[in-house]
Amino acid sequence: MFSTPPEQHDAVPPDIFPPRAAAGYPVPALTAQQVNDALRHQARLQEITDLDLLNPDVQALLQSVSTRAAKELGLPISVVSIVLDEAQHFASSYGLGGWMEEAGGTPVEWSFCRFTVASQEAFVVEDATRHRLVRNNPLVEVDGVRCYAGIPLISSRGFALGSLCVLGTDTHSFREEDLTRLRALATEAVALIESRRPSTKGVR
């Protein structure tokens, strides 16, 4: 699907979130600076390190979740992303292909999931060519991404680590039951991620 990487350019939106990402799905107003600050929060990044989420063995742990997300929501692609301060890492994916699968992620400036992480809320894009936050994104302009729905992966300590998301190359109307199912799968993904937390039993 994604044959060659587009030329990198700054895709950070200059302003704020619109009142709603899609009909019925409110998104808190955040400035671009607040998004960046959320991604750079040191305790959040330390949580990702403590859980060792960039380890290749995480893929096998989460593969079933990403596969079922795409199939159950009827979209061609699903990703479990871990969002860092400068890049997003694909911990597992289904249907991705091309340069993004080979690279295993994208620059954080191209990440739809960074808005999910910063807001700690569902982020929904039904037509990316018309959505002011992502319409100039290279993944939209070059690779043809047209729809996205992401649910934050929030750890037991309250940090948004990344997102479970589905996306496609056609516009798509998401129903509330779609997000309900995606939330359930995100909860499952978090439980699997939490199983990697180092035990403190016996530590004084």
Side-chain angles (χ1 to χ4, degrees), residues 12 61 74-75 85 95 107 123-124 135 149 153 155-156 193 200:
V12 176
L61 185 69
L75 285 165
D85 52 345
F123 179 54
V124 178
R135 63 191 176 197
L153 303 175
S155 75
S156 61
I193 287 170
T200 57

Side-chain angles (χ1 to χ4, degrees), residues 114-130:
R114 76 191 192 277
F115 301 120
T116 310
V117 167
S119 67
Q120 295 202 3
E121 299 284 349
F123 179 54
V124 178
V125 176
E126 296 184 324
D127 183 353
T129 64
R130 301 181 63 184

Side-chain angles (χ1 to χ4, degrees), residues 2 28 53 68 82 100 104 113 130 138 143 158 164 177 192 203:
F2 304 112
L53 295 182
R68 282 182 288 136
I82 304 301
M100 275 196 283
C113 294
R130 301 181 63 184
D143 288 301
L164 171 62
E177 50 263 43
L192 292 168
V203 176

Side-chain angles (χ1 to χ4, degrees), residues 55-68:
N55 192 311
D57 67 8
V58 174
Q59 178 178 358
L61 185 69
L62 297 173
Q63 187 59 53
S64 173
V65 174
S66 55
T67 298
R68 282 182 288 136

Side-chain angles (χ1 to χ4, degrees), residues 35-41 44-49 53-54 81-90 104-109 111 113-114 117 160-163:
V35 173
N36 291 335
D37 288 347
L39 300 187
R40 294 169 183 162
H41 193 283
R44 188 188 75 86
L45 295 173
Q46 186 61 50
E47 179 86 324
I48 291 171
T49 299
L53 295 182
L54 305 186
S81 69
I82 304 301
V83 179
L84 306 172
D85 52 345
E86 295 185 354
Q88 72 172 344
H89 168 72
F90 298 150
T106 73
V108 77
E109 293 85 1
S111 171
C113 294
R114 76 191 192 277
V117 167
L161 310 171
S163 172

